[in-house]
């Protein structure tokens, strides 16, 4: 094997590097007080995995309850609390921080050629805020739960429910600061910490998409924060900004809430799209087609993302003129999203495609996100929306976007960068099986929900007419398969920490700066400040470099 | 600058290379560190602006809907106290700027002096604010806790020119006072945080922390203090002044 150009280390004798960020210091304290962006990324990985499985358990309960048309497993109010907690945990404690918190933290400084994020202490603080917020959500859950739905819609949340809205609202407020700090850190790092030669248009697309998502975090999150502060003030002392009996307007809450929470969809999905760009380029060994267009489409999604919030309120008494305009603007978001999908397809065209696990997840992403996006066009159309909103159609739509899109991308990214993070490979066949199981489980879970919604089954009810049972049983069966698909990576990735093959610095022969250093990296990432003299995704440069290295060694 | 040694042996990072003690390891130069921290601060202030923005939007909407209620509400505020507070806050912005200047020039005594005066002015502002809040409490103008509409359905002898409101509009003055307390309360909270930070800065400035070339912290706190000032400079006319001619 030593004659190949590709310099994969000999698996039998290869060892992990001596000095890494993992063995630089030992002990719990060295982790809990670390300022190393890579370690903080791992801390995030642990907490979001924990919350993901709690949120997943909630989803499992919801699906089990819906196995039969009656309310037999959970009482109606318990059911409300369970799906509310599922939503809050999955959105604020998993989807929003997942890619920026783990992969973003780990990779952004390395990919731009910096030693760390711009503000390491604030980075650690943002992990603590996220964890504290998570603990507060769990406290709300244990002490009696919240049953408003994750949207905290007023006046339900301020006047009519007798649950722990205050704890949950403050929890979201706290995690919001975590999100803001991560966003500021990423933006400043990309602007001010790039290595010599790393121009804006040499940045990997993962950086562009995290940058765009960070803009959304920085501008959107404070608006959610103030909306929740006002809800808490209204519940505690009754100031009445959203209370119609005092002259306030509940719709104002929804405007403020969705001003954040629609862009939040793009906070979730944009970093995922960045992962997909990296994966698709690497495993088709081609520069991403239309690099500049894909880069700018991230920024365009961020900009349009702020202009569409009212499509969540079409049936809530907004004026028909504004609804028309927001319907049109909603359609416009499809354009930059489609630019990405088409350009990925064009990248694949005539590429040397290999079907590694991250690539399988990436294909899953492209298929599922496309379905999710196209059904979004249905929902953006004013007339269709009146028929379909608040039914299972909308549940299926946003799960296709967020789970089919974001979660697939997150799994793609975790597998893709696992060798870099841990220095070891995961078991090849098992991981491909997991990708397949996840995909099948996903389709089986959520596709029937489109039909259910189209037939008129409303969301958020514990009981339903018996004629919907067949599709619900299918969906619950799918959720079981999906659960297996999530448990598998959890198990074999943990296994690989000890028994996985040694990966070497660049197992995929990818071009990013992160692959030019050892795996796992040293504490300050680079032995010397890198000087970048090649374009992003320049596989010819990489081939020459590898050939020269082999030549010098030989 | 032996960057190779820093990276390979991080545990010995401090040995044998000459950079100022305040330059953190992940920055290449003092200039880069200064630009990054300042940019980060501006971004944080942008988030603060969006935070207050939600309430400004609420103000705009409700003011358009309940114009007479907002006029009646703003007549209940003391323009005199508001004006004094505005002057105090602008002066504190000036003293803060002088503190930053003193730090840049490396004058420790002047830095401590200007920071202390800023802190003092901030406390005076909060004291006046507290007395205004107490007055509102006594007049039963605090929504949710002790609000009473009766002041607004009758002609107030203190403001004979102001007409009595019909009952439904009088109830809407609650929205005005909700926003008044939410906005000025959030502003006061920012002042309290600012004053706590200021106390810390004074403590460290006395030990000579910011007068040996490392002025980022003082400069960035200066930006925060000016932001508080600017927010007040919008709150004061919106809440106290713009309906007074009616």
């Amino acid at each position: 094997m030593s004659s190949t150009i590709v310099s994969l280390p000999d698996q039998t004798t290869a060892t992990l590097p001596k000095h890494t960020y993992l063995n630089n210091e030992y002990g719990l304290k060295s982790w809990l007080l670390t300022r190393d962006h890579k370690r903080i990324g791992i801390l995030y990985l642990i907490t979001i995995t924990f919350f993901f499985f709690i949120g997943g358990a909630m989803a499992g309960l919801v699906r089990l309850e819906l196995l039969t048309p009656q309310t037999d497993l959970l009482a109606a109010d318990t059911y409300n609390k369970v799906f509310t907690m599922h939503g809050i945990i999955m959105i604020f404690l998993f989807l929003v921080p997942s890619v920026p918190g783990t992969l973003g933290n780990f990779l952004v400084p390395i990919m731009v050629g910096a030693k760390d994020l711009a503000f390491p202490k604030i980075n650690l603080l943002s992990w603590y805020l996220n964890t504290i917020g998570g603990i507060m959500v769990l406290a709300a859950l244990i002490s009696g739960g919240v049953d408003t739905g994750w949207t905290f819609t007023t006046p339900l949340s301020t006047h009519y429910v007798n649950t722990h809205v205050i704890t949950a609202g403050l929890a979201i407020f706290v995690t919001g600061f975590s999100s803001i700090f991560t966003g500021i850190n990423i933006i400043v790092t990309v602007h001010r910490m790039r290595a010599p030669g790393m121009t804006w248009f040499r940045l990997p697309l993962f950086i562009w998409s995290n940058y765009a998502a960070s803009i959304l975090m920085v501008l959107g999150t404070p608006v959610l924060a103030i909306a929740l502060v006002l809800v808490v003030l209204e519940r505690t002392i009754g100031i009445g900004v959203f209370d119609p009996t005092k002259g306030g307007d509940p719709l104002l809450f929804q405007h403020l809430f969705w001003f954040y929470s629609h862009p939040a969809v793009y906070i979730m999905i944009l970093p995922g799209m960045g992962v997909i760009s990296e994966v698709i380029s690497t495993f088709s060994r081609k520069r991403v087609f239309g690099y500049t267009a894909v880069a700018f489409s991230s920024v365009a999604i961020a900009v349009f993302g702020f202009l569409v919030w009212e499509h969540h309120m079409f049936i809530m008494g907004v004026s028909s003129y504004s609804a028309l305009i927001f319907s049109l603007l909603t359609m416009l978001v499809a354009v930059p999203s489609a630019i990405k999908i088409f350009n990925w397809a064009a990248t694949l065209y005539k590429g040397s495609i290999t079907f590694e696990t991250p690539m399988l997840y990436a294909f899953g992403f492209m298929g599922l996100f496309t379905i999710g996006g196209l059904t979004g066009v249905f929902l953006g159309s004013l007339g269709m929306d009146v028929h379909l909103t608040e039914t299972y159609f909308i549940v299926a739509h946003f799960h296709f976007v967020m789970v089919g899109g974001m979660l697939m991308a997150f799994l793609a990214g975790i597998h893709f960068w696992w060798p870099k993070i841990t220095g070891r490979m995961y078991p090849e066949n098992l991981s491909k099986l997991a990708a397949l199981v996840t995909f099948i489980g996903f389709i089986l879970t959520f596709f029937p929900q489109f039909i259910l919604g189209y037939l008129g089954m409303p969301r958020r009810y514990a009981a339903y007419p018996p004629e919907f049972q067949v599709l619900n049983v299918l969906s619950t069966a799918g959720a079981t398969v999906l659960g297996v698909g999530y448990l598998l990576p959890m198990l074999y990735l943990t296994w690989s920490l000890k028994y996985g093959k040694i990966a070497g610095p660049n197992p995929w022969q990818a071009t990013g700066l992160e692959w030019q250093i050892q795996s796992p990296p040293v504490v300050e990432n680079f032995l010397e400040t890198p000087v970048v003299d090649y374009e992003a995704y320049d596989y010819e440069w990489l081939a020459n470099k590898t050939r020269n290295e082999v030549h010098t060694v030989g | 600058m032996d960057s190779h040694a820093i990276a390979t042996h991080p545990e010995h990072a401090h040995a044998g290379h000459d950079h100022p003690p305040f330059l953190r390891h992940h920055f290449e130069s003092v200039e880069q560190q200064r630009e990054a921290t300042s940019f980060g601060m501006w971004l944080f202030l942008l988030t603060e602006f969006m935070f207050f923005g939600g309430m400004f939007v609420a103000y705009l909407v409700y003011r358009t809907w309940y114009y007479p209620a907002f006029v009646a509400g703003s007549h209940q505020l003391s323009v005199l106290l508001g004006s004094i507070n505005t002057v105090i806050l602008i002066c504190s912005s000036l003293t803060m700027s002088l503190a930053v200047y003193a730090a840049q020039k490396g004058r420790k005594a002047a830095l401590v002096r200007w920071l202390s005066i800023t802190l003092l002015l901030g406390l005076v502002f909060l004291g006046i604010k507290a007395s205004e809040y107490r007055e509102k409490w006594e007049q039963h103008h605090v929504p949710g806790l002790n609000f009473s509409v009766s002041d607004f359905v009758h002609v107030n002898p203190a403001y004979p020119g102001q007409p009595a409101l019909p009952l439904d509009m009088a109830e809407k003055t609650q929205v005005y006072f909700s926003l008044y307390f939410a906005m000025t309360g959030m502003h006061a909270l920012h002042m309290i945080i600012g004053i706590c930070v200021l106390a810390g800065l004074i403590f460290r400035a006395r030990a000579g922390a910011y007068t040996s070339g490392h002025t980022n912290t003082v400069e960035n706190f200066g930006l925060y203090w000016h932001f508080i000032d600017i927010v007040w400079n919008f709150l004061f006319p919106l809440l106290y002044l713009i309906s007074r001619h009616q």
Side-chain angles (χ1 to χ4, degrees):
Chain A
M1 291 294 283
S2 56
S3 63
T4 47
I5 293 170
V6 173
S7 59
L8 273 175
D10 186 350
Q11 304 292 1
T12 48
T13 58
T15 49
L16 286 172
K18 244 188 194 139
H19 294 282
T20 72
Y21 75 99
L22 290 166
N23 62 20
N24 179 53
E25 288 175 287
Y26 293 99
L28 192 63
K29 202 178 142 197
S30 76
W31 281 89
L32 293 180
L33 296 178
T34 184
R35 273 167 275 160
D36 184 345
H37 65 100
K38 299 183 284 300
R39 285 190 166 203
I40 296 170
I42 304 245
L43 291 177
Y44 262 110
L45 182 61
I46 294 167
T47 45
I48 65 161
T49 307
F50 172 73
F51 286 119
F52 174 74
F53 279 97
I54 292 188
M58 300 280 162
L61 278 176
V62 167
R63 282 317 323 166
L64 278 179
E65 163 55 41
L66 293 176
L67 206 51
T68 56
Q70 312 84 29
T71 53
D72 32 24
L73 178 67
L74 305 169
D77 62 333
T78 318
Y79 177 84
N80 291 349
K81 287 174 184 172
V82 168
F83 77 67
T84 300
M85 278 310 178
H86 167 68
I88 291 176
I89 289 175
M90 283 307 198
I91 288 180
F92 295 110
L93 297 170
F94 177 71
L95 289 168
V96 167
S98 62
V99 171
T102 56
L103 298 172
N105 246 324
F106 198 97
L107 293 161
V108 166
I110 307 184
M111 280 180 158
V112 303
K115 289 175 188 160
D116 205 326
L117 283 168
F119 309 113
K121 281 186 202 164
I122 290 177
N123 193 22
L124 180 64
L125 175 66
S126 86
W127 177 74
Y128 272 102
L129 289 174
N130 194 64
T131 309
I132 291 168
I135 291 168
M136 287 168 73
V137 168
L138 292 182
L141 172 70
I142 292 165
S143 60
V146 182
D147 60 359
T148 57
W150 75 279
T151 52
F152 297 105
T153 310
T154 56
L156 177 67
S157 62
T158 50
H159 287 79
Y160 298 106
V161 295
N162 194 19
T163 52
H164 298 267
V165 175
I166 295 173
T167 322
L170 291 177
I172 310 302
F173 184 81
V174 172
T175 53
F177 271 96
S178 159
S179 187
I180 288 172
F181 288 148
T182 306
I184 290 178
N185 236 329
I186 289 177
I187 293 177
V188 174
T189 306
V190 174
H191 269 270
R192 295 283 182 227
M193 311 278 287
R194 281 173 285 130
M198 182 55 94
T199 59
W200 278 91
F201 292 101
R202 280 178 179 171
L203 288 172
L205 290 165
F206 181 76
I207 300 291
W208 272 98
S209 58
N210 269 283
Y211 178 78
S214 300
I215 294 175
L216 290 170
M217 290 189 214
V218 165
L219 291 177
T221 319
V223 180
L224 175 74
I226 191 63
L228 290 174
V229 166
L230 291 173
V231 165
V232 168
L233 285 178
E234 190 143 337
R235 264 190 91 88
T236 45
I237 59 171
I239 63 164
V241 174
F242 303 131
D243 180 0
T245 62
K246 292 175 180 167
D249 183 4
L251 269 191
L252 178 69
F253 171 79
Q254 296 217 17
H255 282 292
L256 295 179
F257 181 85
W258 290 114
F259 182 82
Y260 166 80
S261 292
H262 190 80
V265 176
Y266 305 111
I267 295 177
M268 299 169 212
I269 202 73
L270 273 170
M273 290 170 153
V275 173
I276 300 305
S277 295
E278 300 296 317
V279 170
I280 291 215
S281 162
T282 301
F283 296 113
S284 51
R285 315 215 65 74
K286 273 176 69 187
R287 184 179 163 85
V288 174
F289 180 86
Y291 168 94
T292 324
V294 177
F296 279 122
S297 69
S298 292
V299 181
I301 288 175
V303 173
F304 286 134
F306 271 121
L307 303 176
V308 302
W309 76 89
E310 208 182 287
H311 69 217
H312 293 265
M313 303 163 64
F314 282 163
I315 59 160
M316 298 179 187
V318 294
S319 89
S320 47
Y321 294 108
S322 70
L324 264 175
I325 288 163
F326 277 94
S327 182
L328 179 74
L329 287 170
T330 302
M331 306 289 175
L332 283 181
V333 190
V335 176
S337 308
I339 286 176
K340 283 187 189 288
I341 294 280
F342 286 132
N343 282 359
W344 289 329
T347 309
L348 292 169
Y349 180 66
K350 288 191 174 171
S352 324
I353 301 173
T354 48
F355 296 93
E356 318 287 351
T357 313
M359 191 64 153
L360 294 183
Y361 280 113
F363 281 130
F365 174 97
M366 283 175 73
L368 301 178
F369 181 77
T370 304
I371 297 174
L374 287 175
T375 49
V377 178
F378 292 25
L379 291 165
S381 317
L382 206 42
M384 283 296 274
D385 182 75
V386 172
H387 174 65
L388 293 172
T389 195
E390 300 299 334
T391 68
Y392 260 84
F393 191 91
I394 210 156
V395 175
H397 158 70
F398 68 68
H399 279 88
F400 261 81
V401 172
M402 290 183 204
V403 185
M406 176 57 218
L407 198 57
M408 283 283 179
F410 179 66
L411 288 169
I414 282 292
H415 284 86
F416 185 58
W417 281 293
W418 193 254
K420 181 53 61 186
I421 295 172
T422 65
R424 290 182 184 270
M425 301 299 293
Y426 46 80
E428 187 69 32
N429 292 329
L430 202 52
S431 59
K432 284 183 179 164
L433 177 72
L436 197 66
V437 169
T438 309
F439 186 80
I440 293 169
F442 180 87
I443 293 280
L444 193 56
T445 311
F446 294 107
F447 201 81
Q449 297 184 3
F450 278 126
I451 306 167
L452 280 171
Y454 181 76
L455 295 175
M457 177 169 159
R459 66 193 281 211
R460 292 181 169 168
Y461 281 72
Y464 55 86
E467 64 261 33
F468 294 139
Q469 190 174 10
V470 176
L471 289 166
N472 271 303
V473 168
L474 275 181
S475 184
T476 303
T480 318
V481 179
L482 196 55
V484 174
Y486 295 149
L487 273 175
L488 275 174
M490 173 94 179
L491 296 177
Y492 65 71
L493 287 179
T494 315
W495 176 87
S496 78
L497 288 176
K498 185 137 193 234
Y499 304 102
K501 284 183 202 159
I502 306 292
N506 194 357
W508 312 124
Q509 294 299 296
T511 58
L513 270 183
E514 79 272 29
W515 301 107
Q516 315 309 320
I517 56 174
Q518 66 171 50
S519 339
V522 290
V523 170
E524 289 189 331
N525 303 340
F526 299 97
L527 298 178
E528 285 171 70
T529 306
V531 178
V532 182
D533 54 0
Y534 62 98
E535 303 301 314
Y537 313 114
D538 188 346
Y539 292 95
E540 252 172 65
W541 164 85
L542 183 74
N544 283 331
K545 178 174 174 275
T546 319
R547 204 172 292 126
N548 290 339
E549 270 176 10
V550 170
H551 182 72
T552 7
V553 172
Chain B
M1 295 296 277
D2 190 358
S3 63
H4 190 88
I6 302 172
T8 347
H9 305 291
E11 63 272 28
H12 300 164
H14 276 286
H17 62 105
D18 52 343
H19 66 64
F22 51 81
L23 177 64
R24 299 195 188 281
H25 275 141
H26 58 293
F27 290 113
E28 296 288 328
S29 65
V30 175
E31 183 59 16
Q32 190 191 31
Q33 174 169 330
R34 207 186 68 80
E35 282 179 351
T37 51
S38 152
F39 186 40
M41 193 65 206
W42 279 104
L43 281 175
F44 178 70
L45 294 182
L46 190 63
T47 70
E48 289 277 21
F49 193 78
M50 295 303 290
F51 186 79
F52 279 96
M55 288 185 291
F56 279 114
V57 166
Y59 177 89
L60 185 74
V61 172
Y62 292 134
R63 185 186 152 77
T64 315
W65 287 354
Y66 312 135
Y67 182 69
F70 272 54
V71 173
S74 72
H75 273 94
Q76 300 298 316
L77 301 183
S78 163
V79 176
L80 178 66
L81 290 179
S83 306
I84 293 172
N85 255 353
T86 308
V87 173
I88 287 171
L89 212 48
I90 291 174
C91 287
S92 80
S93 249
L94 174 68
T95 56
M96 191 62 226
S97 300
L98 290 169
V100 171
Y101 181 72
Q104 284 164 346
K105 291 286 165 187
R107 294 175 193 150
K108 194 174 110 180
L111 173 65
V112 173
R113 185 173 69 239
W114 289 124
L115 286 177
S116 306
I117 296 175
T118 310
L119 184 137
L120 204 67
L121 289 170
L123 286 175
V124 173
F125 178 95
L126 284 177
I128 293 176
K129 197 78 237 161
S131 81
E132 281 187 271
Y133 278 1
R134 206 180 114 246
E135 192 197 351
K136 292 285 143 274
W137 175 262
E138 282 165 358
Q139 293 170 340
H140 304 290
H141 284 341
V142 185
L145 295 180
N146 69 0
F147 193 82
S148 122
V149 289
S150 66
D151 288 358
F152 300 97
V153 288
H154 310 292
V155 177
N156 186 338
Y159 305 102
Q162 186 195 336
L165 292 178
L167 184 64
D168 66 327
M169 199 41 92
E171 281 168 350
K172 306 292 193 257
T173 49
Q174 275 194 87
V175 176
Y176 172 83
F177 279 105
S178 295
L179 287 170
Y180 168 77
F181 281 105
M183 293 168 104
T184 59
M186 208 53 79
H187 178 259
L189 182 66
H190 278 79
M191 294 273 310
I192 292 168
I193 294 168
I195 283 170
C196 293
V197 177
L198 252 180
L201 287 184
I202 293 168
F203 182 73
R204 294 199 55 207
R206 283 162 63 103
Y210 310 113
T211 35
S212 54
H214 176 56
T215 56
N216 294 5
T217 313
V218 177
E219 283 166 14
N220 287 334
F221 178 76
L223 290 176
Y224 177 79
W225 197 260
H226 297 321
F227 170 79
I228 294 176
D229 185 24
I230 286 167
V231 169
W232 178 257
N233 281 311
F234 282 94
L235 291 180
F236 175 59
L238 286 180
L239 293 168
Y240 289 71
L241 294 182
I242 63 176
S243 303
R244 289 304 276 225
H245 62 282
Q246 298 259 325

